[in-house]
Amino acid sequence: MTRKATALDVARRAGVSRSAVSLVLNGRGDGNVAKDSQERILAAAAELNYTPNAIARSLRDQRSRVIGLVSDQAVTSPFDGEIIAGADAVARSRGFVTLATDTEQDALRDLDAVRTLLDRQVDGLIYVTVGLHELHVPQGMLAVPSALANCYASPDSPSGASTLPSIQPDEVAGGHDAAAHLIGLGHRRIAFLGGEYSSPAVALREAGFRAAMAEAGLPVREDWVLEAGWDIAPGHTAATALLSAAAGERPTALLGGNDRAAVGMVLAAARLGLDVPRDVSVMGYDDEQRVASVMVPALSTVALPLRRIGEEAMRAVLGALDGGDRASGPLLIPCELTPRDSTGPAPAV
């Protein structure tokens, strides 16, 4: 029977010390092991099909090598699960695994979820939310290295919660870039049809929209700054009300709260006999899979950096576990402007 390869076998194959193998395979090679040696170690480990003994390593360093993920609904969400995917990928690359539990947006289950994961001896915790939210941080998250993904601590959270790393999309810059894209196409009459103002993201995006308009010296029509929901029907209703006006009195561009609402806006334009983007441009937000890129016309949008949020949250937790300086406070991740077919030059009036 073939003997399982050991770290010493990898060290001999790579021509390095056993301690160098341990550093590299535990994700601590940078700064400790030369790059060429790291490459030889990784190649040798692959050739020998070597995998570290997770149980022995856990006993040695007194860690479970498990990071707990608490989600309000991201596990079952159609696209915020990307946050969890990003966190899990970073964890696996460092020899950790993740254990996720979903509270299904029931605040009473938060404490139980955190307590259950701590009882499983997790080394760290990440709280993940669907959409940017203020969060009453469960006390147990202060017991181990923790991070907040797509959320931030509410004022009534336990003392110290505000210093937890909070990885968030840069929504102000996202709203600014969306508006600047439309302005760059020559639009001067732009409506901001945000989602629901119960979401902090909407006010932040509106702030970015207003900043871009001010930079261009353009006035904001307050009657064109509306709450237009997160789905097709309310987007359709809001757009119909604005686009029913005469050509010189209606907006030439609509900035939607998300891609689904933007779909409703495109449908409203078509129902009124208007072409998108010849007569009116429509801008989405999120870059939701199976919506934005497959819509006809394909939606111009702003992509939420969901996977990157998960990656950075996990890096913050693992960095604290490695004894480095603990990250604290908000980290804003850029949202990428993604122009497609639903936006075009402003029509001549």
Side-chain angles (χ1 to χ4, degrees), residues 56-95:
R57 184 165 57 181
S58 295
L59 291 172
R60 183 170 62 250
D61 60 18
Q62 298 295 298
R63 290 180 180 173
S64 66
R65 306 195 74 80
V66 177
I67 304 299
L69 304 177
V70 181
S71 157
D72 66 348
Q73 201 179 17
V75 171
T76 55
S77 165
F79 59 95
D80 282 42
E82 278 291 300
I83 299 176
I84 291 178
D88 186 68
V90 171
R92 286 187 285 107
S93 74
R94 297 281 298 276

Side-chain angles (χ1 to χ4, degrees), residues 16-38:
V16 298
S17 67
R18 189 185 182 287
S19 61
V21 171
S22 178
L23 286 168
V24 172
L25 297 184
N26 283 309
R28 298 196 297 272
D30 289 346
N32 294 307
V33 180
K35 286 292 184 184
D36 60 336
S37 295
Q38 291 188 47

Side-chain angles (χ1 to χ4, degrees), residues 324-348:
D325 293 336
R326 292 199 178 198
S328 63
L331 172 62
L332 299 181
I333 307 299
C335 302
E336 183 179 357
L337 178 70
T338 307
R340 294 196 180 98
D341 299 335
S342 67
T343 54

